[in-house]
């Protein structure tokens, strides 16, 4: 039995679908602080079965302990966290409380019950400003905002737990930029308010919810001057979690592999790929650089292939087509 925290969210919902497809039993915990109960019903529609779902908070240690015992949990996939970089700068304590105190409560409950396997959602943001590309796992760690710091801190905490307990297994997956949606169009990314990230902004321009996209700078040292990122299809990312769980169930110790495609795509390249996939024009204008931004970032994904046997399969065109289907079928996300 796998406990998925934050499983009603964007990446968690896709991962539950892939875990169930791979034959795992799943129990999901979420407090809906950044998600909607409708996503649970959509997961059920895709998988054709009822999902074990518990509404609650990872900071509730007693609830966690009961849940781990009652469901005889073998391993935890831990997505639950707050993730808005700007908000984390304004409200650092909220972020540390949720992401650090929450993870500590979860780890303590796991220790009390004797559950010793965790797959954790880390991020390429732990590398800070890249000193060399592609980013390998040997690149120095140095996050530049409270959200990123919370990922670095949890990685350090998990490394210490692994040192103290030779039976513990922690896989910190350093995600690059997840985009796209399940091919059914039933689940996808549903940001509240104005999207912070590029892809949901593009899909909202395409569907007519936003007038135009601001391209943050065209004077970076990149192929066309616009920012370059390693976009990864969320379904590929979800499948990476299945591989990581299989690995964590068989090995002990700490591992922190990149999950990316190894390919960089510029903002303008992504706009053009999306225009091809959707048949819509994406109105855009060049705007100043976003404070704190980096020019380019992409992964060396070879560790995940070597150790986990995982490699991204889906390209930019599938990411755009699937993201567009989700946006068209659900113009207001999970809101009716
Ligand atoms: P999301 O906000 O869609 O999902 C997170 C889920 O966790 C939400 O459903 C939210 O309600 C839940 N949650 C938050 N705090 C909780 C708490 N205290 N108790 C119970 N549930 C709680 O985000 P996502 O994009 O699916 O990201 C999942 C994880 O991956 C996060 O840890 C995020 O930091 C990390 N990550 C995301 C990205 C990305 O670009 N989406 C990139 C790198 C890392
Ligand atoms: C963001 C997060 C980072 C997180 C990562 C993966 C911020 C500041 N950083 O970074 O912590 O790990 O997502 O989820 O939020 N862009 C535009 N116009 C827009 C939005 C973005 O031109 O309206 C550009 C950006 O300058 C960048 C690219 O698009 O070049 C991608 O931006 P975004 O989707 O926000 O991802 P990251 O910058 O990688």
């Amino acid at each position: 039995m796998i406990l998925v925290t934050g499983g009603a969210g964007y990446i968690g919902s896709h991962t539950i679908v892939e875990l169930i497809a791979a034959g795992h039993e799943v129990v999901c915990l979420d407090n809906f602080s950044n998600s909607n109960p409708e996503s649970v019903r959509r997961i059920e529609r895709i998988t054709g079965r009822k999902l074990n779902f518990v509404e609650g908070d990872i900071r509730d240690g007693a609830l966690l302990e009961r849940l781990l015992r009652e469901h005889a949990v073998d391993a935890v996939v831990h997505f639950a966290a707050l993730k808005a970089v700007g908000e984390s700068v304004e409200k650092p304590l909220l972020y540390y409380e949720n992401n650090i105190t929450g993870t500590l409560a979860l780890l303590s409950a796991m220790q009390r019950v004797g559950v010793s396997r965790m797959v954790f959602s880390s991020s390429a943001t732990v590398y800070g400003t890249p000193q060399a590309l592609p980013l390998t796992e040997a690149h120095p760690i140095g996050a530049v905002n409270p959200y990123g710091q919370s990922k670095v801190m949890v990685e350090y905490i998990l490394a210490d737990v692994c040192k103290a307990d030779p039976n513990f297994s922690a896989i910190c997956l350093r995600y690059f930029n997840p985009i796209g949606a399940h091919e059914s169009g039933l689940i996808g990314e549903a940001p509240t308010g104005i999207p912070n990230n590029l892809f949901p902004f593009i899909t909202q321009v395409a569907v007519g919810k936003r007038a135009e996209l601001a391209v943050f700078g065209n004077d970076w040292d990149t192929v066309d001057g616009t920012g370059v990122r390693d976009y990864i299809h969320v379904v590929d990312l979800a499948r990476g979690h299945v591989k990581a769980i299989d690995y964590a169930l068989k090995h002990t110790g700490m591992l922190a592999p990149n999950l990316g495609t190894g390919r960089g795509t510029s903002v303008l390249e992504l706009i053009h790929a999306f225009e091809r996939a959707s048949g819509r024009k994406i109105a855009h204008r060049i705007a100043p650089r976003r404070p704190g931004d980096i020019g380019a970032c992409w992964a060396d994904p070879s560790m995940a292939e070597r150790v986990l046997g995982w490699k991204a399969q889906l390209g930019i065109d599938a990411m755009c087509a699937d993201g567009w289907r989700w946006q068209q079928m659900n113009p207001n996300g999970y809101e009716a």
Side-chain angles (χ1 to χ4, degrees):
M1 177 67 76
I2 313 293
L3 168 63
V4 179
T5 74
Y10 173 44
I11 306 170
S13 56
H14 289 81
T15 299
I16 291 176
V17 167
E18 297 303 322
L19 282 168
I20 289 174
H24 290 287
E25 296 289 327
V26 170
V27 54
C28 171
L29 175 77
D30 203 298
N31 65 0
F32 296 127
S33 59
N34 195 39
S35 50
N36 188 305
E38 178 62 18
S39 77
V40 174
R41 292 191 281 276
R42 301 289 183 87
I43 294 170
E44 291 178 337
R45 265 176 73 185
I46 294 171
T47 60
R49 53 193 248 178
K50 181 123 191 62
L51 179 67
N52 283 319
F53 179 83
V54 178
E55 183 172 349
D57 197 293
I58 52 165
R59 288 163 293 185
D60 184 345
L63 168 71
L64 284 169
E65 188 173 332
R66 202 166 60 240
L67 200 156
L68 291 168
R69 271 190 220 289
E70 280 174 9
H71 290 273
V73 168
D74 303 294
V76 178
V77 186
H78 178 31
F79 293 103
L82 298 176
K83 64 163 184 176
V85 172
E87 186 186 49
S88 82
V89 175
E90 286 158 25
K91 301 176 183 168
L93 295 182
L94 175 70
Y95 272 67
Y96 290 128
E97 168 69 22
N98 198 77
N99 297 2
I100 304 292
T101 309
T103 301
L104 290 174
L106 173 59
L107 286 166
S108 302
M110 288 170 67
Q111 191 177 52
R112 291 197 295 281
V113 179
V115 180
S116 59
R117 268 108 239 278
M118 175 180 279
V119 174
F120 169 66
S121 300
S122 188
S123 169
T125 198
V126 302
Y127 297 121
T129 303
Q131 294 170 9
L133 291 168
L135 283 161
T136 72
E137 291 81 358
H139 186 283
I141 298 302
V144 291
N145 54 62
Y147 165 71
Q149 294 280 25
S150 78
K151 295 297 177 194
V152 171
M153 288 177 195
V154 171
E155 285 204 5
Y156 284 142
I157 290 167
L158 288 171
D160 287 340
V161 169
C162 286
K163 265 186 229 151
D165 178 358
N167 278 322
F168 204 91
S169 174
I171 317 290
C172 299
L173 299 175
R174 294 177 176 167
Y175 312 157
F176 280 67
N177 291 59
I179 62 169
H182 190 262
E183 62 172 0
S184 65
L186 289 171
I187 55 174
E189 187 171 14
T192 46
I194 301 170
N196 295 312
N197 299 112
L198 177 62
F199 191 77
F201 207 106
I202 290 178
T203 65
Q204 291 194 7
V205 171
V207 85
K209 283 184 78 170
R210 316 248 161 232
E212 64 173 5
L213 171 77
V215 176
F216 297 145
N218 65 349
D219 55 355
W220 295 101
D221 182 17
T222 61
V223 57
D224 56 21
T226 65
V228 164
R229 296 292 185 274
D230 186 339
Y231 297 98
I232 172 168
H233 197 300
V234 66
V235 171
D236 267 332
L237 192 72
R239 291 178 179 146
H241 291 73
V242 178
K243 293 287 190 185
I245 275 290
D246 292 344
Y247 184 89
L249 289 169
K250 293 193 197 102
H251 300 80
T252 57
M254 166 93 174
L255 191 73
N258 292 334
L259 291 191
T261 65
R263 288 163 150 262
T265 302
S266 76
V267 175
L268 291 178
E269 287 170 340
L270 186 62
I271 291 173
H272 294 140
F274 193 84
E275 288 179 337
R276 284 196 303 276
S278 66
R280 300 272 173 108
K281 273 273 167 236
I282 304 301
H284 60 276
R285 69 183 158 84
I286 305 301
R289 289 183 178 190
R290 178 171 63 178
D293 228 346
I294 55 174
C297 166
W298 66 89
D300 175 344
S302 57
M303 180 193 278
E305 183 172 8
R306 198 172 61 249
V307 183
L308 302 178
W310 171 89
K311 194 172 189 252
Q313 305 290 335
L314 301 163
I316 273 293
D317 293 339
M319 299 178 214
C320 290
D322 292 337
W324 175 231
R325 188 177 308 105
W326 154 255
Q327 179 70 75
Q328 269 190 304
M329 285 171 63
N330 309 273
N332 299 313
Y334 292 112
E335 303 291 334

